[in-house]
Amino acid sequence: MMVGRVKMKNQNENQFQIEDQFQIDDQFQIERSIANEIMDTIQRLQLPFKLDQLTEGLGNCFPIAIIQQLRRPEILSQLRPAPRRLVRHQTGHSLLRQSVHQFIVKSKSPRIAMFRTQYEETDGIANGVAWNQYWARMITDKTWVDYWFVQATAWYLQLDMWIIATSSTETSPYIEVSGNLADGSKPSIGPVVTLGTKSNCHYQSLLPVEMFHLEFQQNQHTSNITVPGAKMVNEVKPCNNNEEIQGK
């Protein structure tokens, strides 16, 4: 009888594990579908990227994708101590929200002062949300980010971002967000954060292929890394209906 009970217990545990795996698979169906669309775009444009592990959505996809990017060895090795600490925490994506918030509200940079003015004259009026209210909302878990938060994150990390959308074309294969707070016309010194997106409603972490790594290492000080047809964007600009960069 004892042997039978043990077998039954093991069978039940295996069944639970299978059911849990199915639940996980179901949970990531949307993320997997979007990741496949992003990969189709990468292959269509012949860009030197591949998918990272699936980036979970549920309103936190952008900060989670950023934490995935910070774990890339070539990025992690060059991070300042404060951003590096985010990688060690299970809730690093939540801490990222708080860190970007603190960076923005405490900064004395004239550029960020202009950034605030730009917000207050555009989305602040259109949405009826004051600057401080906006940032209080951005630190809330599962709040979708928009281009203001994306740009602020690039400045906080001091890293440029390349964002490949499923709607990208050969003449405009990605959006480049400058992380150089001092001079947005010059690339930041360091690896590039690489993300994919669909309709700006979900972000997926991307990894450069090996040859891209080698090219980057050879050219990181001369900033010669380019994709044919790409256009540099000094910083994320506001746009109509807040649709240019917005996501989970």
Side-chain angles (χ1 to χ4, degrees):
M1 293 295 295
M2 181 62 68
V3 174
R5 290 178 181 176
V6 171
K7 287 183 178 179
M8 181 64 69
K9 179 180 179 182
N10 290 339
Q11 289 175 353
N12 289 338
E13 289 179 349
N14 291 337
Q15 183 64 32
F16 288 143
Q17 290 175 355
I18 293 173
E19 291 177 355
D20 288 344
Q21 185 60 48
F22 279 136
Q23 289 176 357
I24 293 173
D25 290 343
D26 290 341
Q27 175 186 346
F28 283 94
Q29 278 186 346
I30 295 177
E31 287 92 336
R32 183 176 292 106
S33 176
I34 294 177
N36 289 339
E37 291 186 53
I38 292 170
M39 198 63 220
D40 288 343
T41 301
I42 290 172
Q43 293 174 345
R44 171 171 56 84
L45 300 177
Q46 298 182 352
L47 300 176
F49 302 104
K50 61 183 179 181
L51 293 176
D52 195 351
Q53 293 183 343
L54 286 179
T55 301
E56 183 180 2
L58 302 178
N60 286 320
C61 63
F62 178 77
I64 289 175
I66 291 297
I67 296 300
Q68 287 179 272
Q69 287 289 298
L70 300 188
R71 292 194 177 108
R72 285 168 46 191
E74 69 274 22
I75 291 182
L76 184 61
S77 64
Q78 297 191 38
L79 286 177
R80 292 173 292 112
R84 185 178 298 178
R85 285 194 290 270
L86 301 176
V87 178
R88 305 192 189 107
H89 290 270
Q90 186 175 0
T91 58
H93 63 281
S94 295
L95 295 177
L96 174 69
R97 289 180 181 271
Q98 298 171 24
S99 298
V100 173
H101 167 258
Q102 290 297 314
F103 165 74
I104 285 292
V105 299
K106 292 182 177 181
S107 175
K108 303 300 182 182
S109 168
R111 191 127 180 248
I112 291 182
M114 292 175 59
F115 188 60
R116 173 175 180 170
T117 299
Q118 190 178 29
Y119 170 84
E120 292 173 338
E121 293 177 349
T122 54
D123 281 6
I125 295 176
N127 300 327
V129 178
W131 178 252
N132 290 334
Q133 290 176 313
Y134 168 81
W135 283 104
R137 186 178 68 185
M138 282 296 105
I139 63 175
T140 304
D141 188 42
K142 298 183 179 180
T143 299
W144 284 31
V145 308
D146 57 13
Y147 54 84
W148 303 103
F149 189 88
V150 172
Q151 177 63 79
T153 301
W155 281 335
Y156 169 70
L157 296 175
Q158 298 178 12
L159 295 172
D160 295 340
M161 296 184 187
W162 290 1
I163 303 175
I164 302 166
T166 53
S167 58
S168 292
T169 63
E170 291 183 2
T171 57
S172 183
Y174 61 84
I175 300 169
E176 182 171 358
V177 184
S178 173
N180 190 337
L181 185 59
D183 187 350
S185 66
K186 297 180 180 179
S188 301
I189 297 176
V192 178
V193 170
T194 51
L195 305 173
T197 187
K198 178 185 178 181
S199 303
N200 307 309
C201 66
H202 179 71
Y203 286 91
Q204 166 66 45
S205 176
L206 300 176
L207 299 175
V209 297
E210 186 62 27
M211 288 307 296
F212 181 86
H213 280 304
L214 295 176
E215 184 180 355
F216 175 79
Q217 292 171 0
Q218 293 169 359
N219 295 288
Q220 60 179 335
H221 297 300
T222 56
S223 303
N224 288 330
I225 307 172
T226 59
V227 171
K231 295 181 180 180
M232 180 174 179
V233 178
N234 292 340
E235 62 185 57
V236 180
K237 302 293 185 181
C239 61
N240 295 332
N241 300 324
N242 197 24
E243 293 178 350
E244 182 67 25
I245 295 184
Q246 178 174 326
K248 297 179 182 178

